[in-house]
Amino acid sequence: MIVDCAIYRDGHRTEGPDDLSDALDAARATREAFVWIGLHEPTENEFGLVTEEFGLHPLAVEDALKAHQRPKLEVYDDSLFAVLKPVTYEPDSDVVSSEELMIFLGDSFVVTVRHGEGSPLGAVRRRLEEDPDLLRHGPTAVLYAIADATVDHYLVVATELQTDLEELETEVFSPSSGSTRHTASRIYAFKRQILEFRRATGPLAVPLTRLAGSGQSSTGLPFVDDEAQPFFRDVNDHLTRVNESVEGLDRLVSDILSAHLAQMSVRQNDDMRKISSWAAMAAVPTMIAGIYGMNFEHMPELHWGWAYPAIILLMAVLEVALFRLFKHRGWL
């Protein structure tokens, strides 16, 4: 459905006609004007009218309707098509969820298509409307503001992930970590959330590099003001920080998982040494009792008066000796 539709002239919002075709004609009638239409999960029929009026490319329209796209930037004859993936993070459940945001830039128009309930564009639109100097740059200003807000929120999510990872690291290396049965599964689940985050941030580097004018094929992007390249470079620098943070988080999670598995292996070896020590201590009296339980008639010490207490004493001395030996070696 259409969430908002407005015409912006000289950096200020003006109410335009309800008909999309009339709104576009009104925007093109003035050089400094453009129309911005925001849609949220439109159906094929709802988006068909926008496609017809603005001349959007069928392949880009298909991507906008079906979603499930990687961040990218594509150039068509009559429009520029960009895909961003805003993310949200729930610290209570340690879940990273990504949305999808498609942006069409053309001659005097911007069409944004949002999939998902998170990351609404209302705040971005209000921020732009409060800054007429920025909004005067037309559709390029909208693309910059959306990319800037998306990447800035990446930084927030990366900070929250870092905080939760430090808590998980403390739990793994705490003395009482052995009582936690699901630590390995929590670490693995956390790693999957970082992977979901990386799917949103990693592929975005190439589109922002082109918009920033740093790539080999970055020159001559239609519908994008070349004067905005320094602003896109700033956004790209922030994204680089995010990607470096994500790489560090991923490596740290892998190291924590390896350390946890090593701890579990060491703990199991300690348990096996203890079990083996107690088994060895139990084997000595069992062996002696087994020998004297064979009921042969001619056995040494069998008819001694002090044979029974002597054997018991021998068992006790051997048990104490074994106990002190295993204790000295750290097995008990």
Side-chain angles (χ1 to χ4, degrees), residues 165-235:
L165 184 57
E166 290 174 357
E167 295 177 357
L168 185 59
E169 182 180 16
T170 302
E171 176 184 338
V172 169
F173 292 102
S174 64
S176 60
S177 61
S179 60
T180 304
R181 298 182 178 180
H182 305 292
T183 302
S185 61
R186 283 193 58 197
I187 297 174
Y188 183 74
F190 199 90
K191 188 176 180 65
R192 288 189 62 87
Q193 303 311 312
I194 294 178
L195 177 61
E196 181 68 21
F197 191 26
R198 175 185 283 178
R199 288 173 180 169
T201 63
L204 186 58
V206 174
L208 282 181
T209 299
R210 295 183 63 187
L211 290 169
S214 303
Q216 295 180 355
S217 59
S218 60
T219 59
L221 285 177
F223 314 113
V224 177
D225 191 351
D226 292 340
E227 295 181 358
Q229 288 183 353
F231 296 93
F232 285 111
R233 280 198 293 270
D234 181 68
V235 178

Side-chain angles (χ1 to χ4, degrees), residues 86-99 118-119 153-168 186 189-197 249 253:
V87 298
T88 57
Y89 179 59
E90 297 294 338
D92 296 336
S93 56
D94 295 339
V95 174
V96 173
S97 58
S98 60
E99 316 292 342
S119 303
H153 192 65
Y154 286 165
L155 291 170
V156 175
V157 173
T159 302
E160 292 176 346
L161 285 172
Q162 179 67 41
T163 301
D164 286 353
L165 184 57
E166 290 174 357
E167 295 177 357
L168 185 59
R186 283 193 58 197
F190 199 90
K191 188 176 180 65
R192 288 189 62 87
Q193 303 311 312
I194 294 178
L195 177 61
E196 181 68 21
F197 191 26
L249 289 173
V253 170

Side-chain angles (χ1 to χ4, degrees), residues 237-262:
D237 289 341
H238 291 174
L239 181 65
T240 301
R241 288 174 50 196
V242 172
N243 285 328
E244 291 175 351
S245 178
V246 172
E247 290 290 337
L249 289 173
D250 187 60
R251 289 195 300 267
L252 186 56
V253 170
S254 298
D255 293 342
I256 291 175
L257 180 59
S258 299
H260 175 68
L261 295 177

Side-chain angles (χ1 to χ4, degrees), residues 19 40 56 66 94 143 150 155 173 206 246 292:
D19 185 80
H40 178 234
L56 304 180
K66 293 185 177 180
D94 295 339
L143 178 61
T150 300
L155 291 170
F173 292 102
V206 174
V246 172
Y292 283 93

